[in-house]
Amino acid sequence: MSLLSKKDKEVFLTPININNPITVQVLGICSALAVTAKLEPSIVMGLSVTVILAFANVIISLLRNTIPTRIRIIVQLVVVAALVTIVSEVLKAFAYDVSVQLSVYIGLIITNCILMGRLEAFAMANRPFESFMDGLGNGIGYAVILVIVGFFRELLGSGSLLGFQLIPEAAYEMGYMNNGLMLMPPMALIICACVIWVQRARYKEIPEN
């Protein structure tokens, strides 16, 4: 017997492919531009948002019947801010260099439209486990795009991945040059556009925006 119902699987998988928060819902674009010049901060940012979104969804779902409607946004912000603070302190303690690279963007997770959108649209109306799966799915969908963008930007822009040089020195001696444009934010948009093109070619059921 499967641990996940058909609905739970749909809630988890849909935001990873046919309803991705970045490429379909067009949310979280700012961080996709800002932190993806290298792969490592892209991975850390994606994991951070995934953890925060999953647990924020659960907390808001547990509290949904006790939160007064007029202050629900404030409560959601307080929950997200508390989780962001915890994640920020953990990064400073165990991955300081990455936390410096991410700079203010970890703090700006508080206002990330993906989080506020899922809390308001899903967690406020569904049970904790379903909300957890929704948060996990949307977080992973967000992280996948950041990792793809970070992979190509660092590889083509710096010739390395995760700090390890992949392009051999012989290639540079023969005239190869890193593409400095890949390290500029507009290239993140172009790579996202390529991902959207591939995604829409694969999933014909994605609605036109």
Side-chain angles (χ1 to χ4, degrees):
M1 183 177 178
S2 177
L3 294 175
L4 300 178
S5 66
K6 183 178 179 181
K7 181 181 178 181
D8 291 334
K9 291 179 180 178
E10 183 178 345
V11 166
F12 174 71
L13 294 174
T14 298
I16 297 177
N17 42 57
I18 64 173
N19 195 26
N20 187 278
I22 292 182
T23 60
V24 178
Q25 301 175 46
V26 197
L27 301 175
I29 289 290
C30 297
S31 53
L33 301 181
V35 304
T36 54
K38 293 185 177 180
L39 183 57
E40 186 177 18
S42 302
I43 294 172
V44 173
M45 186 68 167
L47 289 174
S48 299
V49 170
T50 300
V51 170
I52 292 168
L53 180 53
F55 284 99
N57 260 15
V58 171
I59 294 170
I60 293 300
S61 179
L62 290 169
L63 298 176
R64 70 187 188 281
N65 294 324
T66 62
I67 301 174
T69 303
R70 289 180 295 178
I71 63 168
R72 69 186 188 282
I73 302 298
I74 297 174
V75 174
Q76 292 168 13
L77 283 171
V78 169
V79 169
V80 173
L83 292 171
V84 167
T85 301
I86 293 171
V87 168
S88 178
E89 294 303 313
V90 169
L91 287 178
K92 288 178 182 177
F94 298 102
Y96 182 75
D97 290 342
V98 178
S99 71
V100 171
Q101 291 180 54
L102 291 174
S103 184
V104 298
Y105 296 105
I106 284 290
L108 289 176
I109 292 176
I110 296 171
T111 57
N112 191 309
C113 41
I114 298 174
L115 276 89
M116 300 310 298
R118 298 323 298 169
L119 294 177
E120 182 70 10
F122 198 92
M124 288 293 292
N126 290 275
R127 294 175 298 178
F129 183 72
E130 292 172 351
S131 298
F132 177 77
M133 297 304 295
D134 177 79
L136 202 60
N138 277 276
I140 292 174
Y142 168 84
V144 165
I145 301 302
L146 259 65
V147 168
I148 291 172
V149 175
F151 174 89
F152 285 106
R153 290 184 70 189
E154 182 176 359
L155 179 62
L156 300 178
S158 302
S160 61
L161 283 177
L162 298 175
F164 296 98
Q165 192 68 30
L166 294 186
I167 308 275
E169 286 298 326
Y172 293 105
E173 292 172 1
M174 290 188 292
Y176 177 83
M177 295 179 64
N178 293 327
N179 187 346
L181 287 174
M182 295 301 295
L183 301 179
M184 300 179 67
M187 293 308 299
L189 277 178
I190 293 174
I191 296 173
C192 282
C194 293
V195 174
I196 291 172
W197 173 64
V198 171
Q199 186 183 35
R200 289 185 178 273
R202 181 177 180 184
Y203 299 104
K204 302 299 184 180
E205 62 270 34
I206 295 178
E208 295 291 338
N209 291 328

